[in-house]
Amino acid sequence: AQSVSQHNHHVILSEAASLELGCNYSYGGTVNLFWYVQYPGQHLQLLLKYFSGDPLVKGIKGFEAEFIKSKFSFNLRKPSVQWSDTAEYFCAVTPFSLAYGGATNKLIFGTGTLLAVQP
Amino acid sequence: NAGVTQTPKFQVLKTGQSMTLQCAQDMNHNSMYWYRQDPGMGLRLIYYSASEGTTDKGEVPNGYNVSRLNKREFSLRLESAAPSQTSVYFCASSEYITDTQYFGPGTRLTVL
């Protein structure tokens, strides 16, 4: 089935630890890729996105992600997390074949990864 | 520039009651969306409007209706609320269907 998989459901790190959250998708063809973040009690905000070009994209707050087409992956990384990074992180994919092909779903979300950073 | 706004922020309904969730965006975006967020399930698309004057079903449309009132506003209606519709509802908008989506603050709905 077509899907977006986030393998880490709940991650607990200490401040200054490095972070890598996995995201894999199962669509061929052109895709737009996103990472959204939801801080406690807030709405989703865009962290970073990849549409084309350099597969290593940098987002806000020191986050970056690398698109590896051969692995259908778009993993999120941060070298040193802070307590304020505690949030839920969602990977999302827009497959062009679905978006323009009349499919019911345009932006497919993973189930999210809850990150807790301990001070 | 308020972005995407939603009303109300919280709502409690009894089974069978109806209500309309309102959403407005001031970014002149063409496309608008309604999602529901449930624990462990991410966000699921209920309905979307690719452009003014059009609406289409998403992944989980049953029990909902929508109206794209104009380019700015996109409302979601629950005709006869059920406990299974207890959720957090997010409205979003984007310039085009494959573009970055901007989300509203959400409506937390409880159906008793």
Side-chain angles (χ1 to χ4, degrees), chain A residues 23-82:
Chain A
C23 173
N24 288 90
Y25 63 94
S26 59
Y27 307 96
T30 304
V31 292
N32 284 352
L33 298 156
F34 307 84
W35 276 98
Y36 285 88
V37 60
Q38 187 175 27
Y39 297 104
Q42 296 188 27
H43 60 285
L44 276 82
Q45 304 170 42
L46 182 69
L47 203 53
L48 49 78
K49 63 185 180 185
Y50 173 81
F51 284 8
S52 63
D54 188 344
L56 184 62
V57 293
K58 296 191 184 299
I60 60 172
K61 303 186 180 185
F63 285 91
E64 65 178 32
E66 185 175 13
F67 171 47
I68 303 179
K69 191 173 182 180
S70 60
K71 295 184 178 180
F72 298 90
S73 69
F74 189 54
N75 293 352
L76 181 71
R77 299 195 291 250
K78 185 171 184 179
S80 176
V81 296
Q82 301 172 312

Side-chain angles (χ1 to χ4, degrees), chain B:
Chain B
N1 190 338
V4 180
T5 56
Q6 291 182 237
T7 55
K9 286 188 167 49
F10 301 94
Q11 184 70 50
V12 178
L13 293 177
K14 293 181 180 177
T15 297
Q17 286 185 317
S18 62
M19 78 160 296
T20 300
L21 282 64
Q22 306 287 354
C23 173
Q25 52 92 8
D26 61 3
M27 295 175 281
N28 201 36
H29 284 167
N30 293 297
S31 303
M32 297 186 74
Y33 314 82
W34 276 105
Y35 292 91
R36 59 179 290 173
Q37 184 182 28
D38 301 293
M41 303 188 75
L43 276 80
R44 292 180 293 168
L45 184 65
I46 304 171
Y47 270 93
Y48 69 97
S49 171
S51 59
E52 186 179 358
T54 69
T55 60
D56 285 289
K57 294 178 181 179
E59 184 183 359
V60 288
N62 291 345
Y64 305 96
N65 284 300
V66 291
S67 296
R68 182 78 183 263
L69 304 169
N70 47 55
K71 193 171 186 180
R72 289 187 64 248
E73 298 172 288
F74 189 40
S75 63
L76 178 73
R77 182 159 179 85
L78 286 70
E79 291 292 351
S80 178
S84 61
Q85 294 178 304
T86 294
S87 187
V88 181
Y89 291 85
F90 288 100
C91 177
S93 71
S94 64
E95 188 167 2
Y96 300 106
I97 205 79
T98 55
D99 206 352
T100 302
Q101 293 186 18
Y102 295 86
F103 288 81
T107 295
R108 187 172 293 275
L109 174 67
T110 301
V111 183
L112 302 175

